[in-house]
Short mmCIF file of all heavy atoms in Angstrom, two decimals:
data_model
loop_
_atom_site.label_atom_id
_atom_site.label_comp_id
_atom_site.label_asym_id
_atom_site.label_seq_id
_atom_site.Cartn_x
_atom_site.Cartn_y
_atom_site.Cartn_z
N VAL A 98 -75.13 23.30 -6.90
CA VAL A 98 -73.76 23.78 -7.02
C VAL A 98 -72.84 22.82 -6.26
O VAL A 98 -73.26 22.18 -5.29
CB VAL A 98 -73.63 25.22 -6.45
CG1 VAL A 98 -73.87 25.24 -4.95
CG2 VAL A 98 -72.27 25.83 -6.79
N GLY A 99 -71.60 22.71 -6.71
CA GLY A 99 -70.66 21.85 -6.03
C GLY A 99 -70.24 22.39 -4.69
O GLY A 99 -70.40 23.59 -4.40
N LEU A 100 -69.73 21.53 -3.84
CA LEU A 100 -69.30 21.93 -2.50
C LEU A 100 -67.79 21.79 -2.39
O LEU A 100 -67.20 20.83 -2.88
CB LEU A 100 -69.97 21.06 -1.44
CG LEU A 100 -71.50 21.12 -1.37
CD1 LEU A 100 -72.02 20.12 -0.34
CD2 LEU A 100 -71.95 22.53 -1.01
N SER A 101 -67.18 22.76 -1.74
CA SER A 101 -65.75 22.67 -1.48
C SER A 101 -65.49 21.66 -0.36
O SER A 101 -66.40 21.28 0.38
CB SER A 101 -65.20 24.04 -1.07
OG SER A 101 -65.33 24.96 -2.12
N GLN A 102 -64.24 21.25 -0.27
CA GLN A 102 -63.87 20.34 0.81
C GLN A 102 -64.02 21.04 2.16
O GLN A 102 -63.88 22.25 2.28
CB GLN A 102 -62.44 19.85 0.63
CG GLN A 102 -62.24 18.96 -0.58
CD GLN A 102 -60.80 18.50 -0.70
OE1 GLN A 102 -59.87 19.26 -0.49
NE2 GLN A 102 -60.61 17.24 -1.05
N VAL A 103 -64.29 20.22 3.18
CA VAL A 103 -64.42 20.73 4.54
C VAL A 103 -63.55 19.90 5.47
O VAL A 103 -63.21 18.75 5.17
CB VAL A 103 -65.89 20.70 5.03
CG1 VAL A 103 -66.75 21.61 4.18
CG2 VAL A 103 -66.44 19.28 4.98
N ASN A 104 -63.22 20.48 6.62
CA ASN A 104 -62.36 19.79 7.59
C ASN A 104 -63.21 18.87 8.45
O ASN A 104 -63.55 19.18 9.59
CB ASN A 104 -61.65 20.81 8.47
CG ASN A 104 -60.72 21.71 7.68
OD1 ASN A 104 -61.08 22.82 7.31
ND2 ASN A 104 -59.53 21.21 7.40
N ALA A 105 -63.55 17.69 7.91
CA ALA A 105 -64.45 16.81 8.65
C ALA A 105 -63.95 15.37 8.74
O ALA A 105 -64.54 14.57 9.45
CB ALA A 105 -65.83 16.82 7.99
N GLY A 106 -62.89 15.03 8.04
CA GLY A 106 -62.42 13.64 8.03
C GLY A 106 -61.52 13.31 9.21
O GLY A 106 -60.85 14.18 9.77
N GLU A 107 -61.55 12.03 9.58
CA GLU A 107 -60.66 11.54 10.64
C GLU A 107 -60.07 10.21 10.20
O GLU A 107 -60.74 9.38 9.57
CB GLU A 107 -61.40 11.35 11.96
CG GLU A 107 -61.92 12.63 12.59
CD GLU A 107 -62.59 12.36 13.94
OE1 GLU A 107 -62.13 11.45 14.66
OE2 GLU A 107 -63.58 13.04 14.24
N MET A 108 -58.80 9.99 10.55
CA MET A 108 -58.13 8.75 10.17
C MET A 108 -57.15 8.34 11.25
O MET A 108 -56.51 9.19 11.89
CB MET A 108 -57.39 8.92 8.84
CG MET A 108 -56.62 7.69 8.37
SD MET A 108 -55.57 8.04 6.95
CE MET A 108 -56.83 8.27 5.70
N GLU A 109 -57.04 7.04 11.46
CA GLU A 109 -56.02 6.49 12.34
C GLU A 109 -54.97 5.78 11.49
O GLU A 109 -55.29 5.13 10.49
CB GLU A 109 -56.63 5.49 13.32
CG GLU A 109 -57.55 6.11 14.35
CD GLU A 109 -58.13 5.08 15.30
OE1 GLU A 109 -57.99 3.87 15.01
OE2 GLU A 109 -58.72 5.48 16.32
N ASN A 110 -53.72 5.92 11.89
CA ASN A 110 -52.63 5.28 11.18
C ASN A 110 -51.65 4.71 12.22
O ASN A 110 -51.28 5.41 13.17
CB ASN A 110 -51.91 6.28 10.28
CG ASN A 110 -50.86 5.62 9.41
OD1 ASN A 110 -51.17 4.73 8.63
ND2 ASN A 110 -49.62 6.05 9.55
N SER A 111 -51.27 3.47 12.05
CA SER A 111 -50.35 2.86 13.01
C SER A 111 -49.47 1.84 12.30
O SER A 111 -49.78 1.38 11.19
CB SER A 111 -51.13 2.17 14.14
OG SER A 111 -51.95 1.13 13.63
N GLY A 112 -48.37 1.50 12.94
CA GLY A 112 -47.49 0.52 12.34
C GLY A 112 -46.19 0.40 13.10
O GLY A 112 -46.00 0.96 14.18
#
Side-chain angles (χ1 to χ4, degrees):
V98 66
L100 298 176
S101 296
Q102 293 180 319
V103 296
N104 297 97
E107 294 183 34
M108 178 189 290
E109 292 180 348
N110 186 59
S111 61

